[in-house]
């Protein structure tokens, strides 16, 4: 923890949308009378039929139900595109920066409108209707935004699968939501390396019993791919045959907008469902206030649209606000470790939003690659995905932002749709490592293991006591799992899965997950998923996966593996298992360390004692805690003795 405090610079307090007094009064209003507050702010988007009801939500066990603006009718694509064409049709909506610095493209709101309408017509001609699910498996190219908005235009529900996921993971997600249509590319391009997206789609479809009738393929690299006549069509050929006018569907506020699969502590990834009205109001409002977005600003969020950050803060929030949003296909260290800063100079970026893992990896290369760039356009920096360690915060602040740019450390989740705890740059003093204070309408509480609400300075688990408009509505197809996962631990409250400390100023410090979820480079991985991939290998009998502190990734994946009788624990097998997991789930799930363990620590009833495995992976041999319930205390000795070293 750091005890440094950075006061709000006076220019910021004057120029930003809200200063501290304004924050205090708006926050009080938002929680004292949510109906009045959101009733007013709901008008920031256009409605075909205005709502008369605002908040209708219940966290009651057995009856969890979340509805916002429920009788309003609108359309997300209309709000993100059409309404801006009149007023700022020639303004750039999307700046696309390719993997190679030689490739970039500006797309105005007028051009965006034309692209979205054409693709919507292509989908409509292939039978996609309101409520149908469409899977998007694309790299970071403008067509990804066109595809999201084309679905929204029709009232279809998109499910984006990150391009780094394997055919297996893709197949599971396509089957779970019953997508009949997939939008993909021939190949992706990242750091000069090709990703065989279309081949992965073919492999995924082969695993599912039919059901996918249409595959639309963007030509990104021009690489050769198999095209199945009747099912597969090239994007450019299909869009060339339709008009650029497609009416925007009238969509109810509570009709679904998208599904996004995310890992939990148990079972398969959950389809987090977000709906239309509340989500867009919340994404756009948080984007405006937290990034203090003013017309004319160039805004860049480095996330991938495969994650929620890309949904809310590359596409929906910024475009709803008529912003210019930068979309980057590449990676931070290609062709050089100055790439981020070069892109900032090239496009004169004012607001830059990235993840602590990127900061830490760039920090390793020293200050020179940053300092050889200007970055004079930068005004505000943001961080998201995991707790930012004070060293990385200070480096970001001092070297990247030259002590001129406030940093907004934004805490939120796939489930929350938008940012819940964050500084507002004109209102909140900054403490490196703290996400600081709740956004309007957000009621965080810290509870102990029994659910007792703690007061004042304290440490415990983070829950949210009441609903906010951007909240997920259900787990797609499994409302019971939704209630079980988020509302049963502390009945009547939304449980975040995060631990948290609140200091004497009422500032929140997120301490990380308290469940069996690990955060690898800002991406969530369920330990259960990696374990089930490992035990699917014929030579593996048992596996237990935990997180361990990793200098760059935040957390790394540590796997304890027990082999089948007679199998030799060789280096070769270790590599084979890493590759196996990459193939089963995707590269982000690759174990960093695998320890072959003749036995795992278990209770007498056979339950694996993960607490002990976590401590060993963290090198905390002294604090293993109570080991008296172990069936065979000897296994712990062996595990400690053979602890794998960090790279
Ligand atoms: C988990 C959610 C929300 C977009 C990216 C991740 C961790 C996220 C912060 C932050 C500390 C953070 C939490 C959370 N997290 N942002 N600023 N400070 N922790 O979305 O994959 O749904 O993961 O990421 O542990 O629960 P996600």
């Amino acid at each position: 923890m750091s005890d440094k405090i950075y006061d709000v610079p006076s220019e910021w307090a004057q120029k930003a949308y809200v200063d501290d007094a304004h924050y205090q009064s708006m926050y009080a209003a938002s929680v004292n009378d949510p109906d009045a507050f959101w009733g007013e702010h709901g008008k920031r988007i256009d409605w075909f039929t205005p709502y008369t009801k605002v908040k209708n939500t219940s966290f009651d066990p057995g009856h969890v139900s979340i509805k916002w603006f429920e009788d309003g009718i609108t359309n997300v694509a209309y709000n993100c595109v059409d309404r801006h064409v009149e007023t700022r049709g020639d303004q750039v909506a999307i700046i696309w920066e390719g993997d190679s610095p030689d490739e970039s493209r500006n797309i105005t709101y007028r051009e965006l409108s034309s692209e979205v309408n054409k693709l919507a017509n292509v989908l409509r001609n292939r039978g996609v209707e309101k409520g149908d699910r469409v899977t998007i498996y694309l790299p970071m190219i403008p067509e990804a935004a066109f595809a999201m908005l084309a679905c929204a235009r029709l009232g279809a529900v998109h499910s984006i699968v990150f391009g780094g996921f394997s055919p297996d993971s893709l197949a599971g997600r396509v089957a779970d939501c019953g997508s009949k249509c997939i939008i993909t590319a021939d190949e992706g391009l990242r750091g000069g390396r090709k990703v065989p997206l279309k081949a992965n789609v073919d492999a995924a479809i082969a695993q599912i019993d039919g059901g996918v009738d249409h595959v639309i393929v963007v030509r990104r690299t021009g690489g050769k791919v198999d095209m199945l006549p009747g099912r597969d069509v090239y994007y450019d050929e299909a869009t060339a045959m339709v008009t650029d006018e497609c009416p925007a569907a009238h969509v109810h506020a509570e009709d679904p907008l998208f599904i996004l699969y995310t890992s939990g502590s148990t079972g398969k990834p959950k389809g987090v469902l977000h709906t239309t009205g509340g989500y867009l109001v919340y994404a756009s409002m948080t984007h405006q206030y937290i990034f203090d977005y003013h017309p004319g600003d160039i805004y860049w969020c480095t996330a991938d649209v495969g994650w929620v950050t890309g949904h809310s803060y590359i596409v929906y929030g910024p475009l709803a606000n008529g912003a210019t949003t930068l979309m980057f296909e590449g990676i931070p260290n290609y062709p050089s470790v100055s790439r981020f800063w070069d892109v900032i100079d090239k496009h004169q970026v004012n607001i830059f939003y990235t993840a602590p893992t990127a900061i830490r990896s760039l920090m390793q290369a020293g200050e020179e690659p940053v300092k050889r760039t200007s970055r004079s356009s930068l005004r505000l920096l943001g961080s998201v995905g995991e707790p930012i360690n004070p060293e990385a915060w200070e480096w970001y602040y001092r070297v990247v932002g030259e002590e001129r740019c406030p940093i907004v450390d934004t805490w939120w989740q796939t489930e929350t749709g938008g940012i819940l705890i964050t500084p507002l740059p004109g209102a909140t003093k900054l403490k490196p490592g703290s996400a600081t204070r709740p956004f309007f309408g957000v009621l965080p509480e810290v509870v102990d293991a029994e659910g007792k609400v703690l007061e004042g300075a304290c440490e415990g688990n983070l829950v949210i006591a009441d609903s906010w408009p951007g909240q997920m509505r259900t787990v797609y197809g499994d409302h019971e799992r939704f209630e079980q996962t988020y509302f049963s631990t502390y009945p009547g409250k939304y449980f975040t899965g995060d631990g948290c400390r609140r200091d004497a100023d009422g500032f929140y410090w997120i301490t990380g997950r308290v469940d069996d979820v690990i955060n690898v480079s800002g991406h969530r991985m369920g330990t259960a998923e990696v374990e089930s991939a490992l035990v699917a290998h014929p030579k593996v009998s048992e596996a237990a996966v935990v997180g361990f502190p990793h200098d760059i990734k935040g957390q790394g994946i540590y796997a304890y593996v027990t082999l089948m009788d007679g199998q030799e624990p060789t280096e070769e097998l270790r590599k084979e298992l890493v590759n196996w997991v990459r193939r089963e789930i995707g590269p982000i799930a690759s174990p960093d360390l695998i320890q072959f363990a003749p036995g795992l620590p278990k209770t007498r009833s056979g339950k694996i004692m993960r607490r002990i495995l976590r401590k060993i992976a963290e090198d905390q041999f002294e604090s293993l805690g109570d080991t008296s319930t172990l069936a065979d205390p000897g296994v712990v000795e062996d595990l400690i003795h053979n602890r794998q070293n960090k790279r």
Side-chain angles (χ1 to χ4, degrees), residues 262 308-309 383-387 409-415 496 498 510 512-513 519 522 524:
T262 193
V308 74
T309 311
S383 172
V384 62
E386 54 171 310
D409 175 1
T410 62
W411 175 84
W412 59 298
Q413 310 178 299
T414 306
E415 292 87 338
T496 62
D498 279 318
I510 310 299
R513 303 289 305 195
N519 190 322
R524 245 155 93 165

Side-chain angles (χ1 to χ4, degrees), residues 56-67 479 482-483 487 492:
N56 179 7
T57 67
S58 165
F59 286 2
D60 290 346
H63 306 95
V64 176
S65 161
I66 297 153
K67 292 182 183 155
H479 197 68
F482 176 57
E483 295 210 0
F487 300 94

Side-chain angles (χ1 to χ4, degrees), residues 324-477:
T324 299
T325 182
L326 193 150
M327 192 173 187
F328 176 45
E329 186 183 35
I331 56 175
N333 56 0
Y334 176 85
S336 87
V337 289
S338 292
R339 186 67 191 277
F340 274 179
W341 330 122
D342 286 339
V343 173
I344 287 170
D345 286 349
K346 176 174 173 186
H347 298 292
Q348 291 295 293
V349 171
N350 308 112
I351 302 165
F352 178 68
Y353 188 32
T354 195
T357 185
I359 301 297
R360 286 192 300 264
S361 78
L362 295 173
M363 229 171 117
Q364 285 205 325
E367 300 185 7
E368 193 277 329
V370 190
K371 289 193 165 157
R372 69 170 174 242
T373 64
S374 158
R375 288 156 289 109
S376 59
S377 56
L378 279 181
R379 204 177 75 234
L380 180 72
L381 302 171
S383 172
V384 62
E386 54 171 310
I388 181 164
N389 47 310
E391 304 70 47
W393 195 103
E394 294 287 351
W395 190 84
Y396 196 23
Y397 184 74
R398 183 175 55 78
V399 182
V400 177
E402 296 178 338
E403 304 182 20
R404 175 183 80 240
C405 308
I407 299 178
V408 289
D409 175 1
T410 62
W411 175 84
W412 59 298
Q413 310 178 299
T414 306
E415 292 87 338
T416 69
I419 296 163
L420 295 197
I421 301 183
T422 178
L424 297 186
T428 317
K429 59 188 177 180
L430 305 175
K431 300 188 188 184
S434 170
T436 77
R437 303 190 293 193
F439 190 72
F440 307 128
V442 175
L443 274 174
E445 286 179 356
V446 183
V447 296
D448 68 12
E450 281 69 51
K452 187 163 99 64
V453 178
L454 305 177
E455 303 293 337
C458 57
E459 183 156 357
N461 289 342
L462 179 65
V463 301
I464 312 291
D466 200 359
S467 184
W468 62 98
Q471 184 172 24
M472 75 182 283
R473 302 303 198 251
T474 193
V475 170
Y476 184 76

Side-chain angles (χ1 to χ4, degrees), residues 534 540 542-544 546 557-563 569 571 574 577-578 591-601 612-613 616-619 621 635-645:
L534 283 166
V540 173
E542 210 170 17
V546 298
I557 300 180
Y558 196 111
Y560 298 88
V561 171
T562 307
L563 296 175
E571 257 336 286
R574 212 192 289 279
L577 292 178
V578 171
D592 296 277
L593 295 168
I594 293 182
Q595 174 168 358
F596 292 116
L600 296 173
I612 293 179
L613 294 175
I616 295 173
E618 288 165 5
D619 278 336
F621 307 137
V635 295
V636 172
E637 279 307 304
D638 174 82
L639 290 174
I640 293 177
H641 189 70
N642 292 306
R643 162 75 168 84
Q644 294 297 296
N645 282 320

Side-chain angles (χ1 to χ4, degrees), residues 34-36 38-39 42 47 49-56 67-73 253-254:
D35 275 293
W38 291 110
W47 298 85
T49 304
Y51 48 86
T52 63
K53 292 187 202 156
V54 178
K55 181 175 188 283
N56 179 7
K67 292 182 183 155
W68 286 88
F69 311 112
E70 61 190 287
D71 59 348
I73 296 177
E254 285 302 334

Side-chain angles (χ1 to χ4, degrees), residues 449-613:
E450 281 69 51
K452 187 163 99 64
V453 178
L454 305 177
E455 303 293 337
C458 57
E459 183 156 357
N461 289 342
L462 179 65
V463 301
I464 312 291
D466 200 359
S467 184
W468 62 98
Q471 184 172 24
M472 75 182 283
R473 302 303 198 251
T474 193
V475 170
Y476 184 76
D478 197 348
H479 197 68
E480 209 180 302
R481 190 170 176 201
F482 176 57
E483 295 210 0
Q484 180 62 34
T485 308
Y486 303 104
F487 300 94
S488 69
T489 319
Y490 301 109
K493 294 179 178 167
Y494 169 79
F495 179 41
T496 62
D498 279 318
C500 156
R501 185 168 78 81
R502 187 172 52 216
D503 68 19
D505 288 336
F507 278 36
Y508 292 83
W509 301 71
I510 310 299
T511 51
R513 303 289 305 195
V514 294
D515 53 9
D516 289 323
V517 168
I518 47 191
N519 190 322
V520 185
S521 303
H523 301 311
R524 245 155 93 165
M525 210 55 247
T527 52
E529 264 175 274
V530 184
E531 286 163 8
S532 68
L534 283 166
V535 296
H537 190 282
K539 294 181 182 165
V540 173
S541 138
E542 210 170 17
V545 169
V546 298
F548 74 100
H550 188 288
D551 289 347
I552 304 291
K553 301 181 182 180
Q555 279 189 299
I557 300 180
Y558 196 111
Y560 298 88
V561 171
T562 307
L563 296 175
M564 294 287 188
D565 281 347
Q567 294 297 337
E568 283 301 311
T570 60
E571 257 336 286
E572 213 181 331
L573 181 54
R574 212 192 289 279
K575 284 198 196 104
E576 186 179 319
L577 292 178
V578 171
N579 285 330
W580 174 270
V581 176
R582 287 173 76 92
R583 227 178 13 250
E584 290 271 309
I585 305 175
I588 53 166
S590 306
D592 296 277
L593 295 168
I594 293 182
Q595 174 168 358
F596 292 116
L600 296 173
K602 291 186 187 167
T603 60
R604 282 178 207 103
S605 60
K607 226 179 138 242
I608 295 179
M609 293 179 76
R610 306 172 144 279
R611 174 174 56 79
I612 293 179
L613 294 175

